[in-house]
Amino acid sequence: MITMHYLQCISCGNRYEPDEIVYRCSCGSILEAVIDLDGAKNIFDGNNMSVWKYQPFLPVRRRASLNEGGTPLYPAENLKRDIGYRRLYVKNEGENPTCSFKDRGMTVGVSKAMELGMKKVACASTGNTSASLAAYSAHAALSCYVMIPSGKIALGKLAQAIVYGAKVIPIKGNFDQALEAVMEASRRFNIYLLNSINPYRLEGQKTIAYEIFDQLQEVPDRIILPVGNAGNISAIWKGFKELKAAGFIDRLPVMTGIQAQGSMPMVRMFAEELSELIPEASPETVATAIRIGNPVSWQKAINAVRESGGLMESVTDDEILAAQRTLASREGIFVEPASASSVAGLLKLQGQGAIDEDETTVLVTTGHGLKDPNVVIDSIQIMDPVDGDMDTMRTLVGE
Ligand code: AN7
């Protein structure tokens, strides 16, 4: 089925046809895809979940897929008892092909690159975007260039980009400088840009909302997720709004975005009720995935939070690392630090009385813990080796 769609400026409403390579409106603002939602009526049947299950809502004709999406929605039974919640779920996006939610966006974005006949693709990345783009461009036989902030990406993500065959280009500076470089390079050279300013990326990521509804068969009261470049919160909100516009649901969840305290321009914007984002010059956090000072989708994201009656909150690195341990040791779900900020945010907001234990809440955990093993290994000391005799064993296992 070919879906009808066009790109539209979120500020002035200007329209662009799908065969144009355009990321920004001529007025300077950013674009989003508008979809004809009459595509499919009985699609949300709780079965066979994947990004491409929702093809009628995806604005591409080609398909570069590695079987992304269809990630589990875990009822967090232990955690919810610990903290007195009634319905608490973890949507674990670390269980995608390259172990982050970025795969949902890349399957659609790289499909679009193929459709447009582009041979080269590129992105700036704090790690996961580059790992994902590297994999999908390998699958689609495109040349891939990834610009990363030098020295500041998790080891697992770097290994992925290398082994999938991308050209890894370290940029002096942080993610924001890398993004500027890649945006300029894609303007000048014949390269398709696959950062989340590209609206097709967000079209794939909106399927997180579709899947949550498909799995729960209802709309949760609240979604909590980490915010970096602010694409994912925008995408999930768009997904729910489309479900409502098409008549599948009659209410919307409250969007709750979490940033790290050393990297929180969106939290400031929300708290101070600003109308423009003030970028943070030197973002710093253990959650390197969301070490981003100038989020490109801030307009979409602040709309999502404000329209939904939501919140933006910050958490400290210590809170993030503690939450990572809690989720792993209580639920068996190992996520990277950025993802653990969802859990840390929930705990902080609950402590403040800002959210309600009766709500049906979904925590989106965006990337796998093994992406960044150092953050765990460096924080512990393993005991000295012992002899394997049974006297020692008996003591150690507490018999
Ligand atoms: C695990 O890879 O920006 O708010 O360049 O890897 O949509 O940016 C990663 C972002 C959350 C934030 N969790 O999502 C990149 C990059 C994880 C991430 C985010 C990222 P956005």
Side-chain angles (χ1 to χ4, degrees), residues 368-399:
H368 200 288
L370 288 175
K371 294 265 191 182
D372 193 357
N374 300 52
V375 81
V376 178
I377 304 292
D378 294 349
S379 73
I380 55 153
Q381 237 180 347
I382 300 177
M383 62 185 283
D384 290 333
V386 295
D387 292 324
D389 64 279
M390 286 310 116
D391 285 342
T392 312
M393 290 299 113
R394 183 176 294 115
T395 324
L396 286 175
V397 301
E399 283 292 312

Side-chain angles (χ1 to χ4, degrees), residues 99-102 123-131 147 157 175 195-196 201-202 205 225-234 259 288-290 292 295 336-339 341 364-368 371:
C99 305
S100 86
F101 73 101
K102 304 286 182 182
C123 67
S125 179
T126 57
N128 281 323
T129 300
S130 58
M147 325 284 175
K157 303 173 188 181
F175 170 84
N195 278 99
S196 58
R201 278 271 314 277
L202 302 192
Q205 290 172 210
L225 76 161
V227 172
N229 216 13
N232 208 29
I233 192 168
S234 312
Q259 295 200 292
T288 52
I290 51 173
I292 295 174
E336 65 171 281
S339 310
S341 67
V364 181
T365 52
T366 43
H368 200 288
K371 294 265 191 182

Side-chain angles (χ1 to χ4, degrees), residues 45 80 97 103 131 138 165 167 174 190-191 193 204 228 257 284 293 331 335:
D45 58 1
K80 85 178 179 197
D103 295 341
K167 174 83 179 161
N174 58 34
N190 204 16
I191 302 174
L193 176 64
E284 210 44 81
E331 294 297 338
V335 304

